[in-house]
Amino acid sequence: MFLVRLVRQLYARHMAPTEFTTQVLKCDPSSISFDPEGNAHIASNETMDALKIASHHLVNLKQAVVFPTETVYGLGALALDAEAASKIFSTKGRPPDNPLIVHVASYEMLRTLLPPDYVIPQVYQALMKHFWPGALTFLFPRNEDVVPTIITANQRTVAIRMPSHPVARALIAVANTPLAAPSANTSGKPSPTRAEHVLRDLDGKVSLILDGGACGVGLESTVVDGLHDDGNIRVLRPGGITVEDIKWALQKEMGDGDRVPKVLVHKRDYSDEAIESAPTTPGMKYRHYSPSVPLTLLSTRPNLHDARPPIKFSDFIESLKMSNPSSRPLKIGVLGPTDSKVWAHTLPSENIDWHPYALGPVSDPSVIAHRLFDGLLTLEREGVHLMLIEEIEEEREGLAIMNRVRKAVGESVWISLD
């Protein structure tokens, strides 16, 4: 009850959207480097000035600031200041029971967030060796004297990662404080991977956007929980680091002598009703990533749970034509692998205005991951009436891609492209 009252008070204080003239400042990631101790060295005066301005907005004005990470653009605020962090929730319209990930610039900063006597387990150290800085988030016990409950939705754990994007890590270093940062979008919408995505969505709602170019990964971080007594790693949210990558690192670091922990994926390898009703990490409870128009998943793989035959793609499109009440052509956005059979069915057609967006080759799901959110937001900007997206195999980045797609779609249709 205390958390609910606190969040309501803070949210009420800031729920009236603050009007800003949103400023976009360019940052050059290539001008930023780090020494072995994690200190940032910035060669560009323009980038240094932008980081100092952003730090001023964060630390002195207690405002939320948008910055690039290797995964998606983040909406950051001081993680150790409940009032500052509350502006993330009010800006995004984010439910208060959806926890935030805390971003750090160094291992020294990480330790300030953990209980004083806590020893980082061997399995975490093995994964950090390979994936930090990077797109891997760990669940840790939180230092209750340091991390406010608004960050963790009153959970006793806190999700933490060290980003590898030079601008993100340098901003945290310059501000000299951990930053809480979910994706920089209105809650429920696709995550932004370019500064222009953020500006279209949050223009006037944030004071500052640091533009560091397109995000390299294009999907949010993978979140893992290694705090259970069995010593196994539970993937709470698949993301930029694949399950295959995690298994490989654990085998490499712990394969001699010690038992190699299993890697279990939530909802694929195990279920946990408690964590689904009271999440310890973002992306587990609410519908996410949805564009402003209906999105339908085209299931093309064998469906073992449906005895009915698949629908021909041409018949499915005819049903969409019949349901169009307007005399104007139906604008349909289509997202699929570059080498998909779907493109043979999207030739010029009466009453259909196709808007194709090729995601990349089936053989390289990392490219599809990189382009997914940009595809959804590009087609939305083109004014399509609805979107169709073809499923891909849930291996490597495909697991995270389909996790996002299934949360975004309104319905799924089993079709045949032959």
Side-chain angles (χ1 to χ4, degrees), residues 69-73 135 190-194 197 214-221 239-240 289 366-375 400-401 404:
T69 78
E70 69 277 21
T71 57
V72 299
Y73 270 74
S191 300
T193 58
R194 300 175 183 272
H197 295 163
C215 300
V217 175
L219 292 178
E220 297 84 356
S221 65
Y289 321 117
S366 68
V367 175
I368 297 177
H370 174 73
R371 291 176 59 79
L372 175 64
F373 289 141
D374 183 66
I401 292 165
R404 305 310 192 269

PDB file of all heavy atoms in Angstrom, residues 69-73 135 190-194 197 214-221 239-240 289 366-375 400-401 404:
ATOM      1  N   THR A  69      20.912   4.092 -26.853  1.00  0.00           N
ATOM      2  CA  THR A  69      21.660   2.944 -26.372  1.00  0.00           C
ATOM      3  C   THR A  69      21.857   2.000 -27.558  1.00  0.00           C
ATOM      4  O   THR A  69      21.313   2.243 -28.639  1.00  0.00           O
ATOM      5  CB  THR A  69      20.956   2.202 -25.227  1.00  0.00           C
ATOM      6  OG1 THR A  69      19.911   1.376 -25.758  1.00  0.00           O
ATOM      7  CG2 THR A  69      20.371   3.173 -24.204  1.00  0.00           C
ATOM      8  N   GLU A  70      22.613   0.938 -27.363  1.00  0.00           N
ATOM      9  CA  GLU A  70      22.803  -0.019 -28.448  1.00  0.00           C
ATOM     10  C   GLU A  70      21.534  -0.799 -28.756  1.00  0.00           C
ATOM     11  O   GLU A  70      21.387  -1.360 -29.846  1.00  0.00           O
ATOM     12  CB  GLU A  70      23.952  -0.991 -28.132  1.00  0.00           C
ATOM     13  CG  GLU A  70      23.668  -1.974 -27.015  1.00  0.00           C
ATOM     14  CD  GLU A  70      23.909  -1.394 -25.627  1.00  0.00           C
ATOM     15  OE1 GLU A  70      23.916  -0.156 -25.464  1.00  0.00           O
ATOM     16  OE2 GLU A  70      24.081  -2.194 -24.706  1.00  0.00           O
ATOM     17  N   THR A  71      20.573  -0.819 -27.813  1.00  0.00           N
ATOM     18  CA  THR A  71      19.328  -1.572 -28.013  1.00  0.00           C
ATOM     19  C   THR A  71      18.275  -0.678 -28.654  1.00  0.00           C
ATOM     20  O   THR A  71      17.963  -0.822 -29.837  1.00  0.00           O
ATOM     21  CB  THR A  71      18.846  -2.148 -26.678  1.00  0.00           C
ATOM     22  OG1 THR A  71      18.662  -1.078 -25.712  1.00  0.00           O
ATOM     23  CG2 THR A  71      19.840  -3.164 -26.128  1.00  0.00           C
ATOM     24  N   VAL A  72      17.698   0.240 -27.880  1.00  0.00           N
ATOM     25  CA  VAL A  72      16.742   1.226 -28.383  1.00  0.00           C
ATOM     26  C   VAL A  72      17.033   2.554 -27.678  1.00  0.00           C
ATOM     27  O   VAL A  72      17.844   2.610 -26.756  1.00  0.00           O
ATOM     28  CB  VAL A  72      15.277   0.787 -28.113  1.00  0.00           C
ATOM     29  CG1 VAL A  72      14.968  -0.530 -28.809  1.00  0.00           C
ATOM     30  CG2 VAL A  72      14.988   0.675 -26.608  1.00  0.00           C
ATOM     31  N   TYR A  73      16.377   3.631 -28.112  1.00  0.00           N
ATOM     32  CA  TYR A  73      16.535   4.910 -27.408  1.00  0.00           C
ATOM     33  C   TYR A  73      15.841   4.828 -26.051  1.00  0.00           C
ATOM     34  O   TYR A  73      14.752   4.242 -25.914  1.00  0.00           O
ATOM     35  CB  TYR A  73      15.947   6.058 -28.229  1.00  0.00           C
ATOM     36  CG  TYR A  73      16.960   6.669 -29.165  1.00  0.00           C
ATOM     37  CD1 TYR A  73      17.360   5.991 -30.319  1.00  0.00           C
ATOM     38  CD2 TYR A  73      17.554   7.900 -28.900  1.00  0.00           C
ATOM     39  CE1 TYR A  73      18.316   6.531 -31.179  1.00  0.00           C
ATOM     40  CE2 TYR A  73      18.500   8.457 -29.757  1.00  0.00           C
ATOM     41  CZ  TYR A  73      18.880   7.764 -30.886  1.00  0.00           C
ATOM     42  OH  TYR A  73      19.826   8.299 -31.731  1.00  0.00           O
ATOM     43  N   ALA A 135      24.034  -5.631 -24.118  1.00  0.00           N
ATOM     44  CA  ALA A 135      22.571  -5.711 -24.075  1.00  0.00           C
ATOM     45  C   ALA A 135      22.078  -6.842 -23.191  1.00  0.00           C
ATOM     46  O   ALA A 135      21.148  -7.579 -23.549  1.00  0.00           O
ATOM     47  CB  ALA A 135      22.029  -5.875 -25.494  1.00  0.00           C
ATOM     48  N   PRO A 190       5.612   0.933 -30.397  1.00  0.00           N
ATOM     49  CA  PRO A 190       6.910   0.344 -30.748  1.00  0.00           C
ATOM     50  C   PRO A 190       8.056   1.183 -30.195  1.00  0.00           C
ATOM     51  O   PRO A 190       7.987   2.410 -30.135  1.00  0.00           O
ATOM     52  CB  PRO A 190       6.904   0.373 -32.285  1.00  0.00           C
ATOM     53  CG  PRO A 190       5.457   0.402 -32.664  1.00  0.00           C
ATOM     54  CD  PRO A 190       4.785   1.206 -31.598  1.00  0.00           C
ATOM     55  N   SER A 191       9.119   0.507 -29.803  1.00  0.00           N
ATOM     56  CA  SER A 191      10.277   1.201 -29.248  1.00  0.00           C
ATOM     57  C   SER A 191      11.032   1.947 -30.348  1.00  0.00           C
ATOM     58  O   SER A 191      11.176   1.442 -31.458  1.00  0.00           O
ATOM     59  CB  SER A 191      11.203   0.200 -28.566  1.00  0.00           C
ATOM     60  OG  SER A 191      10.529  -0.471 -27.517  1.00  0.00           O
ATOM     61  N   PRO A 192      11.561   3.133 -30.038  1.00  0.00           N
ATOM     62  CA  PRO A 192      12.270   3.926 -31.053  1.00  0.00           C
ATOM     63  C   PRO A 192      13.720   3.481 -31.204  1.00  0.00           C
ATOM     64  O   PRO A 192      14.408   3.203 -30.218  1.00  0.00           O
ATOM     65  CB  PRO A 192      12.203   5.346 -30.490  1.00  0.00           C
ATOM     66  CG  PRO A 192      12.181   5.143 -29.002  1.00  0.00           C
ATOM     67  CD  PRO A 192      11.447   3.857 -28.757  1.00  0.00           C
ATOM     68  N   THR A 193      14.187   3.412 -32.429  1.00  0.00           N
ATOM     69  CA  THR A 193      15.578   3.065 -32.689  1.00  0.00           C
ATOM     70  C   THR A 193      16.328   4.195 -33.387  1.00  0.00           C
ATOM     71  O   THR A 193      17.493   4.038 -33.725  1.00  0.00           O
ATOM     72  CB  THR A 193      15.659   1.786 -33.545  1.00  0.00           C
ATOM     73  OG1 THR A 193      14.957   1.992 -34.779  1.00  0.00           O
ATOM     74  CG2 THR A 193      15.048   0.602 -32.800  1.00  0.00           C
ATOM     75  N   ARG A 194      15.650   5.314 -33.599  1.00  0.00           N
ATOM     76  CA  ARG A 194      16.262   6.512 -34.178  1.00  0.00           C
ATOM     77  C   ARG A 194      15.710   7.741 -33.438  1.00  0.00           C
ATOM     78  O   ARG A 194      14.585   7.716 -32.935  1.00  0.00           O
ATOM     79  CB  ARG A 194      15.950   6.634 -35.671  1.00  0.00           C
ATOM     80  CG  ARG A 194      16.452   5.465 -36.521  1.00  0.00           C
ATOM     81  CD  ARG A 194      15.999   5.607 -37.972  1.00  0.00           C
ATOM     82  NE  ARG A 194      16.416   4.468 -38.774  1.00  0.00           N
ATOM     83  CZ  ARG A 194      17.577   4.372 -39.408  1.00  0.00           C
ATOM     84  NH1 ARG A 194      18.432   5.388 -39.333  1.00  0.00           N
ATOM     85  NH2 ARG A 194      17.898   3.301 -40.107  1.00  0.00           N
ATOM     86  N   HIS A 197      12.302   8.893 -34.527  1.00  0.00           N
ATOM     87  CA  HIS A 197      11.166   8.134 -33.977  1.00  0.00           C
ATOM     88  C   HIS A 197      10.694   8.774 -32.672  1.00  0.00           C
ATOM     89  O   HIS A 197       9.491   8.914 -32.424  1.00  0.00           O
ATOM     90  CB  HIS A 197      11.575   6.686 -33.683  1.00  0.00           C
ATOM     91  CG  HIS A 197      11.932   5.882 -34.894  1.00  0.00           C
ATOM     92  ND1 HIS A 197      12.634   4.697 -34.807  1.00  0.00           N
ATOM     93  CD2 HIS A 197      11.705   6.086 -36.209  1.00  0.00           C
ATOM     94  CE1 HIS A 197      12.811   4.202 -36.023  1.00  0.00           C
ATOM     95  NE2 HIS A 197      12.257   5.031 -36.891  1.00  0.00           N
ATOM     96  N   ALA A 214      21.340   5.657 -35.455  1.00  0.00           N
ATOM     97  CA  ALA A 214      20.487   4.482 -35.319  1.00  0.00           C
ATOM     98  C   ALA A 214      21.086   3.511 -34.305  1.00  0.00           C
ATOM     99  O   ALA A 214      22.304   3.345 -34.209  1.00  0.00           O
ATOM    100  CB  ALA A 214      20.320   3.797 -36.667  1.00  0.00           C
ATOM    101  N   CYS A 215      20.215   2.856 -33.547  1.00  0.00           N
ATOM    102  CA  CYS A 215      20.654   1.855 -32.575  1.00  0.00           C
ATOM    103  C   CYS A 215      21.133   0.601 -33.310  1.00  0.00           C
ATOM    104  O   CYS A 215      20.537   0.177 -34.301  1.00  0.00           O
ATOM    105  CB  CYS A 215      19.515   1.494 -31.639  1.00  0.00           C
ATOM    106  SG  CYS A 215      18.870   2.892 -30.693  1.00  0.00           S
ATOM    107  N   GLY A 216      22.185  -0.004 -32.810  1.00  0.00           N
ATOM    108  CA  GLY A 216      22.782  -1.134 -33.489  1.00  0.00           C
ATOM    109  C   GLY A 216      22.003  -2.424 -33.376  1.00  0.00           C
ATOM    110  O   GLY A 216      21.912  -3.197 -34.329  1.00  0.00           O
ATOM    111  N   VAL A 217      21.419  -2.693 -32.205  1.00  0.00           N
ATOM    112  CA  VAL A 217      20.714  -3.961 -31.974  1.00  0.00           C
ATOM    113  C   VAL A 217      19.271  -3.869 -32.453  1.00  0.00           C
ATOM    114  O   VAL A 217      18.795  -4.701 -33.215  1.00  0.00           O
ATOM    115  CB  VAL A 217      20.779  -4.364 -30.488  1.00  0.00           C
ATOM    116  CG1 VAL A 217      19.948  -5.625 -30.228  1.00  0.00           C
ATOM    117  CG2 VAL A 217      22.229  -4.587 -30.055  1.00  0.00           C
ATOM    118  N   GLY A 218      18.550  -2.855 -31.983  1.00  0.00           N
ATOM    119  CA  GLY A 218      17.185  -2.641 -32.448  1.00  0.00           C
ATOM    120  C   GLY A 218      16.113  -3.284 -31.605  1.00  0.00           C
ATOM    121  O   GLY A 218      14.927  -3.036 -31.812  1.00  0.00           O
ATOM    122  N   LEU A 219      16.472  -4.127 -30.642  1.00  0.00           N
ATOM    123  CA  LEU A 219      15.536  -4.701 -29.675  1.00  0.00           C
ATOM    124  C   LEU A 219      16.072  -4.446 -28.278  1.00  0.00           C
ATOM    125  O   LEU A 219      17.280  -4.310 -28.071  1.00  0.00           O
ATOM    126  CB  LEU A 219      15.384  -6.216 -29.877  1.00  0.00           C
ATOM    127  CG  LEU A 219      14.699  -6.707 -31.149  1.00  0.00           C
ATOM    128  CD1 LEU A 219      14.695  -8.232 -31.160  1.00  0.00           C
ATOM    129  CD2 LEU A 219      13.280  -6.176 -31.260  1.00  0.00           C
ATOM    130  N   GLU A 220      15.176  -4.446 -27.303  1.00  0.00           N
ATOM    131  CA  GLU A 220      15.579  -4.208 -25.920  1.00  0.00           C
ATOM    132  C   GLU A 220      16.518  -5.314 -25.423  1.00  0.00           C
ATOM    133  O   GLU A 220      16.649  -6.380 -26.028  1.00  0.00           O
ATOM    134  CB  GLU A 220      14.356  -4.129 -25.008  1.00  0.00           C
ATOM    135  CG  GLU A 220      13.424  -2.974 -25.319  1.00  0.00           C
ATOM    136  CD  GLU A 220      12.436  -3.273 -26.424  1.00  0.00           C
ATOM    137  OE1 GLU A 220      12.507  -4.374 -27.020  1.00  0.00           O
ATOM    138  OE2 GLU A 220      11.596  -2.419 -26.707  1.00  0.00           O
ATOM    139  N   SER A 221      17.127  -5.069 -24.279  1.00  0.00           N
ATOM    140  CA  SER A 221      18.096  -6.007 -23.721  1.00  0.00           C
ATOM    141  C   SER A 221      17.438  -7.312 -23.284  1.00  0.00           C
ATOM    142  O   SER A 221      16.246  -7.374 -22.996  1.00  0.00           O
ATOM    143  CB  SER A 221      18.813  -5.377 -22.520  1.00  0.00           C
ATOM    144  OG  SER A 221      17.883  -5.132 -21.465  1.00  0.00           O
ATOM    145  N   GLY A 239      16.132 -10.897 -25.754  1.00  0.00           N
ATOM    146  CA  GLY A 239      16.480  -9.611 -26.348  1.00  0.00           C
ATOM    147  C   GLY A 239      17.755  -9.677 -27.145  1.00  0.00           C
ATOM    148  O   GLY A 239      18.018 -10.646 -27.863  1.00  0.00           O
ATOM    149  N   GLY A 240      18.579  -8.636 -26.991  1.00  0.00           N
ATOM    150  CA  GLY A 240      19.738  -8.452 -27.845  1.00  0.00           C
ATOM    151  C   GLY A 240      20.817  -9.512 -27.699  1.00  0.00           C
ATOM    152  O   GLY A 240      21.599  -9.718 -28.618  1.00  0.00           O
ATOM    153  N   TYR A 289       4.630  -2.562 -27.793  1.00  0.00           N
ATOM    154  CA  TYR A 289       5.194  -2.519 -29.144  1.00  0.00           C
ATOM    155  C   TYR A 289       4.156  -2.367 -30.253  1.00  0.00           C
ATOM    156  O   TYR A 289       4.467  -2.582 -31.422  1.00  0.00           O
ATOM    157  CB  TYR A 289       6.036  -3.774 -29.418  1.00  0.00           C
ATOM    158  CG  TYR A 289       6.854  -4.249 -28.244  1.00  0.00           C
ATOM    159  CD1 TYR A 289       6.631  -5.494 -27.658  1.00  0.00           C
ATOM    160  CD2 TYR A 289       7.850  -3.449 -27.700  1.00  0.00           C
ATOM    161  CE1 TYR A 289       7.376  -5.923 -26.573  1.00  0.00           C
ATOM    162  CE2 TYR A 289       8.602  -3.879 -26.616  1.00  0.00           C
ATOM    163  CZ  TYR A 289       8.355  -5.117 -26.049  1.00  0.00           C
ATOM    164  OH  TYR A 289       9.092  -5.536 -24.969  1.00  0.00           O
ATOM    165  N   SER A 366      19.519 -11.270 -36.929  1.00  0.00           N
ATOM    166  CA  SER A 366      19.980 -10.045 -36.270  1.00  0.00           C
ATOM    167  C   SER A 366      19.636  -8.818 -37.107  1.00  0.00           C
ATOM    168  O   SER A 366      19.358  -7.741 -36.562  1.00  0.00           O
ATOM    169  CB  SER A 366      21.493 -10.105 -36.031  1.00  0.00           C
ATOM    170  OG  SER A 366      22.218 -10.065 -37.250  1.00  0.00           O
ATOM    171  N   VAL A 367      19.630  -8.955 -38.423  1.00  0.00           N
ATOM    172  CA  VAL A 367      19.230  -7.846 -39.304  1.00  0.00           C
ATOM    173  C   VAL A 367      17.739  -7.582 -39.151  1.00  0.00           C
ATOM    174  O   VAL A 367      17.292  -6.423 -39.099  1.00  0.00           O
ATOM    175  CB  VAL A 367      19.590  -8.167 -40.772  1.00  0.00           C
ATOM    176  CG1 VAL A 367      19.071  -7.059 -41.696  1.00  0.00           C
ATOM    177  CG2 VAL A 367      21.092  -8.332 -40.928  1.00  0.00           C
ATOM    178  N   ILE A 368      16.947  -8.649 -39.072  1.00  0.00           N
ATOM    179  CA  ILE A 368      15.502  -8.496 -38.883  1.00  0.00           C
ATOM    180  C   ILE A 368      15.220  -7.806 -37.554  1.00  0.00           C
ATOM    181  O   ILE A 368      14.367  -6.911 -37.467  1.00  0.00           O
ATOM    182  CB  ILE A 368      14.804  -9.867 -38.960  1.00  0.00           C
ATOM    183  CG1 ILE A 368      14.988 -10.476 -40.357  1.00  0.00           C
ATOM    184  CG2 ILE A 368      13.321  -9.748 -38.618  1.00  0.00           C
ATOM    185  CD1 ILE A 368      14.405 -11.864 -40.521  1.00  0.00           C
ATOM    186  N   ALA A 369      15.952  -8.189 -36.511  1.00  0.00           N
ATOM    187  CA  ALA A 369      15.794  -7.540 -35.211  1.00  0.00           C
ATOM    188  C   ALA A 369      16.112  -6.053 -35.298  1.00  0.00           C
ATOM    189  O   ALA A 369      15.398  -5.209 -34.745  1.00  0.00           O
ATOM    190  CB  ALA A 369      16.701  -8.214 -34.181  1.00  0.00           C
ATOM    191  N   HIS A 370      17.185  -5.739 -36.000  1.00  0.00           N
ATOM    192  CA  HIS A 370      17.617  -4.340 -36.146  1.00  0.00           C
ATOM    193  C   HIS A 370      16.555  -3.497 -36.847  1.00  0.00           C
ATOM    194  O   HIS A 370      16.389  -2.315 -36.540  1.00  0.00           O
ATOM    195  CB  HIS A 370      18.928  -4.307 -36.935  1.00  0.00           C
ATOM    196  CG  HIS A 370      19.407  -2.939 -37.282  1.00  0.00           C
ATOM    197  ND1 HIS A 370      19.947  -2.073 -36.357  1.00  0.00           N
ATOM    198  CD2 HIS A 370      19.410  -2.266 -38.468  1.00  0.00           C
ATOM    199  CE1 HIS A 370      20.270  -0.937 -36.952  1.00  0.00           C
ATOM    200  NE2 HIS A 370      19.959  -1.028 -38.227  1.00  0.00           N
ATOM    201  N   ARG A 371      15.790  -4.093 -37.768  1.00  0.00           N
ATOM    202  CA  ARG A 371      14.861  -3.335 -38.595  1.00  0.00           C
ATOM    203  C   ARG A 371      13.403  -3.412 -38.139  1.00  0.00           C
ATOM    204  O   ARG A 371      12.558  -2.693 -38.669  1.00  0.00           O
ATOM    205  CB  ARG A 371      14.968  -3.826 -40.041  1.00  0.00           C
ATOM    206  CG  ARG A 371      16.278  -3.457 -40.704  1.00  0.00           C
ATOM    207  CD  ARG A 371      16.421  -4.039 -42.110  1.00  0.00           C
ATOM    208  NE  ARG A 371      15.371  -3.599 -43.019  1.00  0.00           N
ATOM    209  CZ  ARG A 371      15.324  -2.425 -43.628  1.00  0.00           C
ATOM    210  NH1 ARG A 371      16.267  -1.529 -43.402  1.00  0.00           N
ATOM    211  NH2 ARG A 371      14.346  -2.120 -44.460  1.00  0.00           N
ATOM    212  N   LEU A 372      13.110  -4.268 -37.166  1.00  0.00           N
ATOM    213  CA  LEU A 372      11.710  -4.529 -36.803  1.00  0.00           C
ATOM    214  C   LEU A 372      10.958  -3.267 -36.394  1.00  0.00           C
ATOM    215  O   LEU A 372       9.927  -2.915 -36.986  1.00  0.00           O
ATOM    216  CB  LEU A 372      11.649  -5.565 -35.676  1.00  0.00           C
ATOM    217  CG  LEU A 372      10.249  -5.838 -35.117  1.00  0.00           C
ATOM    218  CD1 LEU A 372       9.333  -6.445 -36.181  1.00  0.00           C
ATOM    219  CD2 LEU A 372      10.332  -6.743 -33.890  1.00  0.00           C
ATOM    220  N   PHE A 373      11.423  -2.579 -35.365  1.00  0.00           N
ATOM    221  CA  PHE A 373      10.694  -1.410 -34.868  1.00  0.00           C
ATOM    222  C   PHE A 373      10.704  -0.269 -35.883  1.00  0.00           C
ATOM    223  O   PHE A 373       9.713   0.456 -36.015  1.00  0.00           O
ATOM    224  CB  PHE A 373      11.269  -0.939 -33.532  1.00  0.00           C
ATOM    225  CG  PHE A 373      10.981  -1.863 -32.382  1.00  0.00           C
ATOM    226  CD1 PHE A 373      11.939  -2.115 -31.415  1.00  0.00           C
ATOM    227  CD2 PHE A 373       9.745  -2.496 -32.265  1.00  0.00           C
ATOM    228  CE1 PHE A 373      11.682  -2.959 -30.347  1.00  0.00           C
ATOM    229  CE2 PHE A 373       9.481  -3.340 -31.204  1.00  0.00           C
ATOM    230  CZ  PHE A 373      10.458  -3.570 -30.244  1.00  0.00           C
ATOM    231  N   ASP A 374      11.814  -0.116 -36.596  1.00  0.00           N
ATOM    232  CA  ASP A 374      11.849   0.907 -37.634  1.00  0.00           C
ATOM    233  C   ASP A 374      10.809   0.613 -38.702  1.00  0.00           C
ATOM    234  O   ASP A 374      10.166   1.532 -39.223  1.00  0.00           O
ATOM    235  CB  ASP A 374      13.243   0.975 -38.268  1.00  0.00           C
ATOM    236  CG  ASP A 374      13.344   2.076 -39.311  1.00  0.00           C
ATOM    237  OD1 ASP A 374      13.247   3.257 -38.935  1.00  0.00           O
ATOM    238  OD2 ASP A 374      13.482   1.754 -40.506  1.00  0.00           O
ATOM    239  N   GLY A 375      10.612  -0.678 -39.017  1.00  0.00           N
ATOM    240  CA  GLY A 375       9.595  -1.047 -39.998  1.00  0.00           C
ATOM    241  C   GLY A 375       8.196  -0.693 -39.543  1.00  0.00           C
ATOM    242  O   GLY A 375       7.401  -0.115 -40.300  1.00  0.00           O
ATOM    243  N   ALA A 400      13.551 -13.363 -29.639  1.00  0.00           N
ATOM    244  CA  ALA A 400      13.199 -12.022 -29.164  1.00  0.00           C
ATOM    245  C   ALA A 400      12.276 -11.315 -30.141  1.00  0.00           C
ATOM    246  O   ALA A 400      11.352 -10.597 -29.740  1.00  0.00           O
ATOM    247  CB  ALA A 400      14.463 -11.195 -28.935  1.00  0.00           C
ATOM    248  N   ILE A 401      12.519 -11.506 -31.432  1.00  0.00           N
ATOM    249  CA  ILE A 401      11.666 -10.875 -32.447  1.00  0.00           C
ATOM    250  C   ILE A 401      10.224 -11.326 -32.275  1.00  0.00           C
ATOM    251  O   ILE A 401       9.301 -10.505 -32.219  1.00  0.00           O
ATOM    252  CB  ILE A 401      12.180 -11.213 -33.861  1.00  0.00           C
ATOM    253  CG1 ILE A 401      13.525 -10.535 -34.123  1.00  0.00           C
ATOM    254  CG2 ILE A 401      11.160 -10.802 -34.922  1.00  0.00           C
ATOM    255  CD1 ILE A 401      14.264 -11.085 -35.327  1.00  0.00           C
ATOM    256  N   ARG A 404       8.409  -9.927 -29.241  1.00  0.00           N
ATOM    257  CA  ARG A 404       7.885  -8.571 -29.441  1.00  0.00           C
ATOM    258  C   ARG A 404       6.660  -8.595 -30.360  1.00  0.00           C
ATOM    259  O   ARG A 404       5.665  -7.918 -30.102  1.00  0.00           O
ATOM    260  CB  ARG A 404       8.962  -7.662 -30.051  1.00  0.00           C
ATOM    261  CG  ARG A 404      10.272  -7.587 -29.280  1.00  0.00           C
ATOM    262  CD  ARG A 404      10.088  -7.304 -27.785  1.00  0.00           C
ATOM    263  NE  ARG A 404      11.347  -6.962 -27.149  1.00  0.00           N
ATOM    264  CZ  ARG A 404      12.172  -7.829 -26.585  1.00  0.00           C
ATOM    265  NH1 ARG A 404      11.889  -9.119 -26.596  1.00  0.00           N
ATOM    266  NH2 ARG A 404      13.284  -7.425 -25.991  1.00  0.00           N
TER     267      ARG A 404
END
